[in-house]
Amino acid sequence: MASVFSLSRSVHPILKHPTRFLTQSPHFALNRPLKSRPCPVWSASFSFCLSSSSSSSFSTSSLPVLSLSHSPRRYSSFTPLPSPPSAMAAAVAAAADVENPLLKDFEFPPFDSVEADHVRPGVRALLKQLEDDLEELERTVEPTWSKLVEPLEKIVDKLTVVWGMVNHLKAVKDTAELRAAIEEVQPDKVKFQLRLGQSKPIYNAFKAIQESPEWQHLSDARKRIVEGQIKEAVLSGVALEDEKREEFNKVEQELERLSQKFDENVLDATKKFERLVTDKKEIEGLPATALGLAAQTAVSKGHPGATCEDGPWIITLDGPSFVSVMQHARNRGLREEVYRAYVTRASSGDLDNTPIIDQILKLRLEKAKLLNYNNYAEVSMATKMATVEKAQELMEKLRSASWDAAVKDLEELKYFAKSQGAAEADDLRHWDISFWAERLREAKYDINEEELRPYFSLPKVMDGLFNLAKKLFDINIEAADGLAPVWNTDVRFYCIKDSSGSPTAYFYFDPYSRPSEKRGGAWMDEVVGRSRVLSRNGTSPRLPVAHMVCNQTPPVGDKPSLMTFSEVETVFHEFGHALQHMLTKVDEGLVAGIRGIEWDAVELPSQFMENWCYHRETLMGIAKHYETGENLPEEVFLKLVAARTYRAGTLSLRQLKFATTDLELHLNYVPGGPESVYDVDQRVSKRTQIIPPLPEDRFLCGFSHIFAGYSPCSFIDVKLLLAAGGYAAGYYSYKWAEVLSADAFSAFEDAGLDDNKAVQETGHKFRETVLALGGGKAPLEVFVEFRGREPSPEALLRHNGLLAAAASA
C-alpha cells in the first residue's frame, strides 16, 4: 500500500488563468460557414458583451450583451448604440472607417473577418475606451459589489475576449503581418494591464470589502474573487512605489515581448526544417497515413504530382510527421537526422532562443526580488495549491517509484532489439528508443497503432465522446455548423444543451494539423465565460463559449481522419478542459469555469477524461472500422488495457525531468553564474533520464510551456502572463493534477464501472463539484466535497503499475 501523500496546504488566493468529420456522423454536417455580417455601429465585438443600461452616456454599461441564453439562431440585427462622446470620436471613427470587425457587435466572434490590418486600430480604440472606463471606475469606486466588482469585470472581459480573439488567430492562422501588428500594439496592451493591476483605488476597495462586517456573509465565490484580486494586485506590483514600480513595469513589458519572440522562433524553426525524399527506400516502414501526409506536404511545397505511393515526400518537424518517423522509419540515419533537428530547434542563427531564455530567467528573478520573494518559484507558488516543498516532495516520491521500472524498460528494449538482430542493440541512442519501443509493443501486445487507425475515425470518436458526456453529465451535444463564423473550413461548431433542451454552452473544434500557419500541440481556451454581470436580459447569465484545438493527421483523399489511440486520448483530454469551462454553474464571471482555478489543479478534469479511453463500454462504442463498421476485437481491447502500463516508468521520468528542470531553473539557477541553463538540464537529467541527453541537446529552446507563457492546454487570461508566466515553475502541475485525476476516477471504480446507475450518480456528483464550482471554491475543498477525503497518489501509482515500487521505496 502506498503511503498517503497529502496535497493539503493553506490555499493561496489565486489569479485568473490565462491561462485531435465527415458526413458519416450528424455531428459533422459539412455546412458552409457563414461570413459574418458587419454591424453598422461601433460597439463591443463578442468580447465586449456588457450589460444594457438605460443611460444615454457611452459607458461600459451602455454596450450590448451577448445573448446566449436562448436557442441557437442565425445572425440577427442589433439595436444601434448611443453615439460615443467626443473624447472617443476620433479613435472610434478611425476604427469604424475600416469597418473593424474587432469593434463590432456580433453574437459570435467574427473569426472569418479579422485581418492583420484590423489589429492596430481596433486594439488601440479598445484600449482608449478601457482607459476611460478605468478612470471612471477609480473616480466613483466604492467597496461594494455593484460599484467595484461589476464594472471591473466588464473592463476585464472586454480586453480578455478581444485580445484572446487576436491571439487565437495568431495560434491557428499565423501570418507575418498579424505577428507584426500584435507586436506593435502589445506594449500598449501590457501598459494597460499594468495600470489596471496596479490601481490603488481598486486595491484599497477590495481590502475594504475584506475588512468589512459584510465579509462573513459573502458567498465562497465572492470571497475567492476578493482574495484573488488582492493577491493579484500585490503580484502586479501595486505596493511598489515610483522607481521600483517603473522598473517592475519595464520588466513586465520585456518579459511579454521575449515570450512572444520565443514562441515565434519555435514556430519558425519548426517550419524551416523540410527533408525532401525521392527514394522510397529512405522512408521504408512509414505507414500509409504518414506517407499520405508527407505527399500532401510535398504538394503544398511545390511538388504538384506528389502521391502517397510514388512521392516525392517531405518530412517536417510537425508532430504527426516527426512522431511517425521516430516510431516507424527503419532508416536509422533518417531517424537520427530528424531527431537531432528536433532537439536543436530554435537554438542557432537568427532563431536562437538561448539568449532569450537567459534574459527571461534574469528578468523573472528581478521581478521576484522586486516583489520581496527569494526566487521566481516562490512567485509562481503564491497562486497554486502546492508549495515548493510539497511539489518537490511529490516529484521525488514519483521519481523513486519510477526509476527502477525505467531501468527495466531500457534493458527489456535492448534485449528485444538484440533478438531482432539490431546492430545498435547494445548502444541504443535517443533516435532508436521510440522505434524499438513501438516494435516491442507490437510484439508484446500485438498492437500496432497504425493498424488501429481504421477503428478510430474522428466522426466515431466524437460520437462516442459525446455519448459519454451525456451518460456522465446528462447533456446533449449537437452540431451547430453555420451558426458562428470560423477561421478555417475544417473547424466545427457545437451547442451543448441540458436535459430540458436549453443551450448551456457552445464550443469550436479545430482538429487538424496545418504546419504552415498553426501552432503545434493541443489546447483548449475560453472564448467567453459564463457571467451574470454580462447578461443581456438581466436574468439569464451569458453562456460560456470555448474552443478546442488539436493537431492530428487530416483526412487523406476520401478517407476521414483516422486517429492513433494517443490522438483519441488527446481529444478526450482537451474536452475535459472544455467541460469545466462550459458546465460551470458559477455566475460570478471572474471565477466562473476555468477562471480562478489554481494552476496545479487545472489538469484534473482533462486527465480524468483520459481514463475513459480504457473503459470497455466507452472504447468499444468508439472503435468501429470506418469502412466495414466492424467492432474492435475484444482481444485487442484487452491488449490496449494491458499496454496502458507499458513503459510507465520511462514516461513518468520524462515528465518528471521536465518538471524538475523547470523548478530548478526558477529556484536555484543563477543567471550569469557558473552554470548555463544547459548545464542545469544535464545535471537534472542524471537523476531523471536513463540515457543521458546529447551534449548538443537544446530542448529548452523549444520548451514553450515555461518560456512562451502557455501550455498545450492553454488558458490565457488578461493578467496571467504578468502574474504567473504560464507553466514557469509550474510544470510539476501535470503530475500534481494526475494525482487528483486518478483519485477522482477511482471514485467511479469504487462505485463499479459496470454499474450504469452508480456511474451516472457519481458522474452527477463530479459535475456538481469539480465541473460546476470552477474557480468559485478552493480546489482542495472541491475535491474533498467530491471524494469525501483528501487526495492520495495510490490510484495514480496503481494505474501506472508502479504501486509495488512505491511501497518498497
Side-chain angles (χ1 to χ4, degrees), residues 19-268:
T19 300
R20 280 179 189 268
F21 326 154
L22 298 167
T23 53
Q24 293 100 314
S25 166
H27 298 299
F28 293 91
L30 292 178
N31 298 328
R32 183 177 179 177
L34 298 179
K35 294 292 287 185
S36 53
R37 185 189 310 162
C39 180
V41 295
W42 184 90
S43 71
S45 99
F46 183 82
S47 55
F48 285 22
C49 307
L50 306 179
S51 56
S52 300
S53 170
S54 59
S55 170
S56 61
S57 64
F58 189 79
S59 66
T60 55
S61 61
S62 69
L63 294 174
V65 177
L66 168 70
S67 175
L68 293 181
S69 54
H70 305 293
S71 299
R73 52 187 167 87
R74 301 282 174 169
Y75 305 120
S76 58
S77 299
F78 289 82
T79 303
L81 297 181
S83 298
S86 56
M88 277 293 295
V92 172
D97 282 344
V98 293
E99 295 188 345
N100 198 311
L102 291 175
L103 303 177
K104 293 184 181 298
D105 188 16
F106 291 95
E107 186 165 2
F108 297 103
F111 284 120
D112 61 337
S113 300
V114 177
E115 302 290 346
D117 290 345
H118 299 132
V119 173
R120 294 176 181 88
V123 171
R124 284 168 177 158
L126 167 66
L127 292 173
K128 177 61 175 68
Q129 175 62 49
L130 295 182
E131 284 280 0
D132 293 344
D133 294 343
L134 179 54
E135 288 179 5
E136 177 67 12
L137 172 58
E138 290 179 323
R139 186 180 66 81
T140 61
V141 68
E142 297 177 12
T144 67
W145 217 254
S146 62
K147 292 288 189 177
L148 169 62
V149 183
E150 293 181 4
L152 177 63
E153 182 183 337
K154 294 173 183 179
I155 292 172
V156 169
D157 189 79
K158 284 196 285 187
L159 182 55
T160 297
V161 187
V162 170
W163 188 258
M165 185 162 63
V166 171
N167 229 31
H168 173 67
L169 287 172
K170 181 179 180 294
V172 297
K173 200 175 180 180
D174 183 49
T175 65
E177 294 77 15
L178 182 59
R179 284 187 188 185
I182 291 174
E183 183 176 347
E184 189 171 321
V185 297
Q186 186 169 268
D188 297 329
K189 188 264 299 186
V190 176
K191 182 179 179 181
F192 175 77
Q193 290 175 305
L194 290 165
R195 164 89 169 79
L196 177 62
Q198 295 170 355
S199 171
K200 289 192 175 181
I202 292 176
Y203 173 74
N204 290 334
F206 274 114
K207 290 286 290 183
I209 289 178
Q210 190 178 46
E211 295 165 1
S212 72
E214 288 75 26
W215 172 253
Q216 296 303 322
H217 303 294
L218 292 183
S219 67
D220 287 341
R222 291 193 169 190
K223 286 182 178 178
R224 291 269 289 178
I225 289 173
V226 173
E227 292 170 339
Q229 290 296 323
I230 292 171
K231 170 66 72 173
E232 187 173 280
V234 172
L235 292 179
S236 294
V238 72
L240 301 177
E241 298 293 342
D242 301 331
E243 290 184 7
K244 284 191 174 182
R245 180 183 293 195
E246 184 177 348
E247 183 181 353
F248 180 90
N249 291 350
K250 288 180 180 179
V251 167
E252 293 290 56
Q253 285 279 11
E254 185 65 2
L255 279 173
E256 179 135 344
R257 186 190 70 81
L258 290 170
S259 293
Q260 190 89 5
K261 183 61 177 173
F262 184 98
D263 194 24
E264 291 172 0
N265 285 351
V266 174
L267 178 59
D268 289 346

Side-chain angles (χ1 to χ4, degrees), residues 33 89 279 286-287 474 480 589 659 678 703 740 748:
D279 184 353
L286 290 193
D474 197 21
Y678 305 119
F703 202 180
L740 301 174
F748 290 81

Side-chain angles (χ1 to χ4, degrees), residues 774-799:
K777 199 168 188 176
L780 182 60
E781 294 177 29
V782 173
F783 185 91
V784 172
E785 190 172 330
F786 168 66
R787 199 68 177 94
R789 57 165 174 75
E790 292 193 3
S792 161
E794 179 180 339
L796 174 62
L797 294 169
R798 174 168 51 82
H799 290 169

Side-chain angles (χ1 to χ4, degrees), residues 533-733:
V533 170
L534 300 180
S535 168
R536 183 177 182 83
N537 57 23
T539 56
S540 301
R542 182 183 69 179
L543 299 185
V545 182
H547 57 65
M548 290 168 50
V549 183
C550 295
N551 267 280
Q552 66 193 50
T553 305
V556 177
D558 59 354
K559 293 182 180 180
S561 176
L562 301 178
M563 306 167 68
T564 64
F565 184 68
S566 62
E567 288 175 335
V568 174
E569 291 179 293
T570 296
V571 169
F572 273 62
H573 179 106
E574 301 308 332
F575 192 60
H577 283 307
L579 286 172
Q580 188 168 39
H581 177 63
M582 297 186 293
L583 298 188
T584 185
K585 291 188 176 181
V586 177
D587 291 339
E588 300 291 345
L590 294 178
V591 290
I594 60 176
R595 293 186 180 187
I597 299 175
E598 280 83 345
W599 195 266
D600 41 8
V602 297
E603 297 292 336
L604 192 168
S606 56
Q607 294 174 344
F608 163 82
M609 287 298 293
E610 288 184 49
N611 288 283
W612 294 100
C613 294
Y614 296 90
H615 177 232
R616 175 183 275 99
E617 181 182 332
T618 301
L619 189 66
M620 298 304 274
I622 287 174
K624 299 182 185 298
H625 198 283
Y626 80 100
E627 289 178 316
T628 67
E630 172 192 3
N631 290 325
L632 184 75
E634 174 70 14
E635 61 270 20
V636 176
F637 165 73
L638 295 175
K639 290 172 181 176
L640 275 173
V641 173
R644 184 178 187 180
T645 60
Y646 177 61
R647 294 176 59 77
T650 298
L651 297 177
S652 177
L653 278 188
R654 180 177 183 270
Q655 288 294 89
L656 292 168
K657 179 258 175 72
F658 296 157
T660 306
T661 302
D662 166 41
L663 201 54
E664 187 69 13
L665 287 173
H666 291 101
L667 182 64
N668 296 318
Y669 173 70
V670 179
E675 272 192 318
S676 72
V677 292
Y678 305 119
D679 292 333
V680 173
D681 180 35
Q682 293 284 341
R683 173 164 55 80
V684 169
S685 295
K686 291 178 180 178
R687 301 184 69 250
T688 56
Q689 271 188 246
I690 308 303
I691 300 179
L694 298 175
E696 64 270 30
D697 188 304
R698 295 294 182 266
F699 103 90
L700 287 173
C701 288
F703 202 180
S704 295
H705 285 68
I706 68 172
F707 294 121
Y710 70 84
S711 79
C713 307
S714 167
F715 311 118
I716 303 173
D717 206 344
V718 178
K719 303 177 190 174
L720 174 76
L721 296 182
L722 298 180
Y727 266 91
Y731 196 94
Y732 78 91
S733 299

